[in-house]
Amino acid sequence: MAADRVIIFDTTMRDGEQSPGASMSLEEKLELAKILEEMKVDVIEAGFPIASNGDFEAVHEISKIVRDSTVAGLCRAHQMDIDRCAEAIKPARRGRIHIVIATSALHMKHKLQMEPAEVLDAIARTVGYARNLRDDIEWSAEDATRSDPDFLRRAIEIAIKAGATTINLPDTVGYTYPSEYADLFREMIQTVEGSDKVVFSTHCHNDLGLAVANSLAGVQGGARQVECAINGLGERAGNAALEEIVMALKVRGDRLPYHTGIETQHITRASRYVSAITGFPVQFNKAIVGKNAFAHESGIHQDGMLKNRETYEIMRPEDVGQAPSSLVMGKHSGRHAFREKLKELGYELGQNALNEAFQRFKDLADKKKHVFEDDIVALVDDALASSADRIQVKHLRVIAGTEGPQEAFLTVTIEGEEKSSNATGDGPVDAVFNAIHAVAPHEAVLRLFQVHAVTEGTDAQAQVSVRLEEDGRIATGQAADTDTLTASAKAYVNALNNLMARKEKSAPGKVASGF
């Protein structure tokens, strides 16, 4: 590998899915794996096989379809974990066993309840055992940035001697800062015996908002793999955002003389897909993929853009798959124009999905004077998020007004079977949610209900986000419709479906894997 080549390791399906409320079905993970491979992501961490049967199946099935990228599975420093991981990635043309164990005094004492010598012994045993199963072994020192440097050095040397090919030094709790992180890599690369035989990797969390800056500093310090996630999805405040890492390296080659193999025109498509299937909206001012990332409202900015776009754009929206224009479409637009608009927006739909999306577009165009790009994004994302739902809203009628109680009449399909109910409530939304509870009884508690308009005007689509919690499990749902109450019902049902999926995936003995 060239000295200036940076490996992109995507952990959206593993660390990203550990975000409270983020859950992906097997079908959604398979589709995401295809998108990531089209982007030329080097390593796809598909899950934590020992955690649940669902995670094992996802890693195993992704290993079957991915041909060019490396498929990685995470495991703890236990033989049982490693065996399970090796079995999951068995079909992969390129498979990686990724072993993690903590090296900070705090973690060793309170989490592992192991003495330092026991940790070193575990590293030697498990890395050596894994190397007999696969040639590609990554070893991660959980909480590396708060570890004693001398102990960390010994641990890395043992991992390398045992057969590790990649050494990951995670900033597990987002504690470090750029110059400190760069120095850590320089010190370890310069002083660890055998460091020239392995690739060093970053894995940064965003608790202080420094995940991307720290990751880039790690590269400057000698790391040649960056672990990141689409939209920065991940535990707590998230991981380093893949799109920001990749574009920073591309745009600032003058100060960061490194490159990736990522085909950046797929970035926006991946971002929107992840947002749709997890129910986590992308903030408007999010770098690279946000709605406003290439929007210019100030008169001075608009004047500069008309004269030369480089006055206020350091990259082209087309380079990341964003549409450069705001073409308005309406009810007279044809299927071909709609298909081309979807391509501009980063969507490649099969014929059946295209037909369904086009019909939804036509229905929306009949309700609105103008259909903007954001409207199209909302309706396609809504379809993607709910296409595999067991419960789907078929019909809703609500009686509302100043004289209560408000009442909702609801019909849903549950695995193809129609069920109806009606309920009253303290307001129309409460009545709708009570009707859903009547037709699909559950114990979940509503933790978030959020509404915003997709575009301007009284005919704008409402985009609703709902978060439910039950027995410590959190699930998020999202939906859009010109009728706010319909969007609310669909978002609640989408969250309920996601919660059911999380419950099914939580097999007895499921373990956590944050680092």
Side-chain angles (χ1 to χ4, degrees), residues 254-281:
D254 57 329
R255 297 301 299 270
L256 297 164
Y258 317 101
H259 70 277
T260 73
I262 298 295
E263 294 190 357
T264 60
Q265 66 271 22
H266 297 291
I267 283 177
T268 297
R269 174 189 171 201
S271 168
R272 288 172 176 163
Y273 185 72
V274 169
S275 176
I277 63 178
T278 60
F280 278 43

Side-chain angles (χ1 to χ4, degrees), residues 65-83:
I65 67 167
V66 169
R67 310 306 297 164
D68 298 321
S69 302
T70 296
V71 179
L74 182 71
C75 51
R76 299 165 301 177
H78 300 308
Q79 182 175 327
M80 182 173 61
D81 282 41
I82 295 168
D83 286 338

Side-chain angles (χ1 to χ4, degrees), residues 433 446 448-450 464-468 475-478 488 491-492 495:
F433 290 175
L446 180 65
L448 172 73
F449 174 72
Q450 192 172 64
V464 178
S465 296
V466 167
R467 179 170 292 182
L468 301 177
T476 304
Q478 197 175 63
S488 300
Y492 193 99

Side-chain angles (χ1 to χ4, degrees), residues 5-122:
R5 173 72 155 83
V6 174
I7 296 167
I8 296 298
F9 177 117
D10 179 88
T11 188
T12 306
M13 285 185 270
R14 200 278 300 169
D15 200 328
E17 198 189 23
Q18 289 172 204
S19 300
S23 183
M24 308 176 204
S25 68
L26 174 61
E27 292 74 19
E28 290 165 345
K29 284 190 173 184
L30 289 170
E31 182 62 29
L32 179 55
K34 293 175 186 176
I35 294 172
L36 294 176
E37 188 165 37
E38 287 180 26
M39 284 177 63
K40 298 291 192 290
V41 166
D42 299 290
V43 184
I44 300 172
E45 189 169 47
F48 184 25
I50 197 74
S52 70
N53 291 332
D55 258 36
F56 176 88
E57 185 181 12
V59 177
H60 194 255
E61 293 303 313
I62 288 169
S63 295
K64 292 179 182 178
I65 67 167
V66 169
R67 310 306 297 164
D68 298 321
S69 302
T70 296
V71 179
L74 182 71
C75 51
R76 299 165 301 177
H78 300 308
Q79 182 175 327
M80 182 173 61
D81 282 41
I82 295 168
D83 286 338
R84 189 70 166 159
C85 181
E87 182 65 24
I89 64 171
K90 192 173 183 179
R93 288 181 62 186
R94 297 179 178 86
R96 174 179 295 186
I97 297 175
H98 184 186
I99 303 169
V100 59
I101 190 169
T103 55
S104 70
L106 185 67
H107 276 233
M108 288 189 290
K109 178 180 179 181
H110 295 287
K111 191 181 84 166
L112 299 181
Q113 297 182 340
M114 295 171 67
E115 294 296 325
E118 293 178 295
V119 171
L120 296 178
D121 178 64

Side-chain angles (χ1 to χ4, degrees), residues 366-442:
D366 285 335
K367 299 176 184 177
K368 296 193 63 178
K369 292 180 180 179
H370 301 295
V371 180
F372 297 93
E373 289 177 352
D374 289 332
D375 289 313
I376 296 173
V377 168
L379 72 85
V380 174
D381 284 350
D382 187 34
L384 288 171
S386 61
S387 60
D389 284 352
R390 292 182 182 180
I391 309 172
Q392 297 196 359
V393 176
K394 184 176 182 181
H395 174 76
L396 175 67
R397 184 167 66 89
V398 181
I399 299 174
T402 56
E403 296 181 4
Q406 286 70 34
E407 189 169 9
F409 300 84
L410 174 74
T411 300
V412 300
T413 58
I414 301 179
E415 295 183 337
E417 181 183 351
E418 281 193 15
K419 292 190 176 183
S420 299
S421 67
N422 66 286
T424 59
D426 185 13
V429 174
D430 187 46
V432 169
F433 290 175
N434 288 340
I436 295 171
H437 191 279
V439 78
H442 58 275

Side-chain angles (χ1 to χ4, degrees), residues 314-327:
I314 60 173
M315 68 194 99
R316 300 186 311 161
E318 302 96 309
D319 290 341
V320 297
Q322 291 251 38
S325 62
S326 296
L327 178 64

